[in-house]
Amino acid sequence: MTLLSTPNETALTPAPNRRTRFIAIIMGVIGVFTAFVFGFGSVASAHSTLTFNPVNLSASAPWHVGTLTLATRWTNLSLGIVMVALAVEVFIRRPRRGVMARFGGVAILFLVALLLWAARTPGPSQVSFVNVTAILIGSSAVIMVLVFGSLSGVMCERSGVVNIAIEGQFIGGAFIGSMIASTTH
């Protein structure tokens, strides 16, 4: 008798994954929020400008990219529709792999929609544009500390040592660095 010929076939089928459906519902809520708050919450004539200027203006940049001006309402509505479509796809298909990659894509689209909505003209912001280059450089400078810490954890784990004091080492290094900087001017 083989495993496939057992009378209890239902025991071999996997249980439905409730986590995937819950993630799909969260993605759908984010998409609907983006469409209604960021899309319909903007004036129909509002536009957002993305610039790609180098951060250091004194140096001559090897390349120059012009500004990108988008209609805020229609761009955010389309981003919200894409998010809802991804949520519906995950909810219906219930894929076993790539659910968190789709959720990350929705998170990135939400960030883009938020930036476009915040820098719209006319709008409440004092700045009428978003410098994408400055955002990328600033976020890479901040995230580099976390990358070094995670690589330290991976290397310790691969060598067989579980290092649970990585955050404490960060705080100690920052404290000693500030003490040395203040004493040596």
Side-chain angles (χ1 to χ4, degrees):
M1 179 174 238
T2 64
L3 184 63
L4 295 177
S5 64
T6 58
N8 193 3
E9 291 289 331
T10 58
L12 297 176
T13 59
N17 192 353
R18 292 187 183 116
R19 178 177 165 258
T20 303
R21 289 225 167 157
F22 186 70
I23 290 172
I25 290 170
I26 291 173
M27 289 166 50
V29 167
I30 291 171
V32 169
F33 179 83
T34 300
F36 281 104
V37 173
F38 296 157
F40 293 122
S42 301
V43 180
S45 63
H47 62 275
S48 301
T49 304
L50 302 176
T51 61
F52 302 93
N53 297 329
V55 177
N56 187 1
L57 295 176
S58 63
S60 62
W63 49 270
H64 295 282
V65 178
T67 60
L68 176 65
T69 303
L70 301 167
T72 306
R73 172 179 273 183
W74 299 112
T75 304
N76 284 341
L77 278 175
S78 62
L79 290 175
I81 290 170
V82 168
M83 290 182 219
V84 170
L86 279 171
V88 168
E89 186 262 337
V90 168
F91 191 82
I92 291 173
R93 284 188 55 223
R94 286 186 282 177
R96 293 180 186 261
R97 296 177 188 234
V99 175
M100 294 311 290
R102 290 176 179 94
F103 186 75
V106 167
I108 290 171
L109 291 176
F110 180 76
L111 176 66
V112 169
L114 177 66
L115 287 175
L116 291 175
W117 179 77
R120 69 189 185 278
T121 303
S125 177
Q126 302 293 329
V127 180
S128 61
F129 65 92
V130 174
N131 190 354
V132 178
T133 307
I135 290 174
L136 291 175
I137 290 173
S139 62
S140 65
V142 169
I143 200 71
M144 203 49 65
V145 173
L146 296 175
V147 168
F148 288 149
S150 63
L151 286 176
S152 166
V154 167
M155 290 178 66
C156 289
E157 192 72 29
R158 295 294 293 171
S159 68
V161 176
V162 179
N163 187 0
I164 60 171
I166 296 172
E167 294 86 3
Q169 292 169 351
F170 281 168
I171 293 171
F175 177 72
I176 290 174
S178 65
M179 291 293 291
I180 290 172
S182 66
T183 57
T184 60
H185 300 291

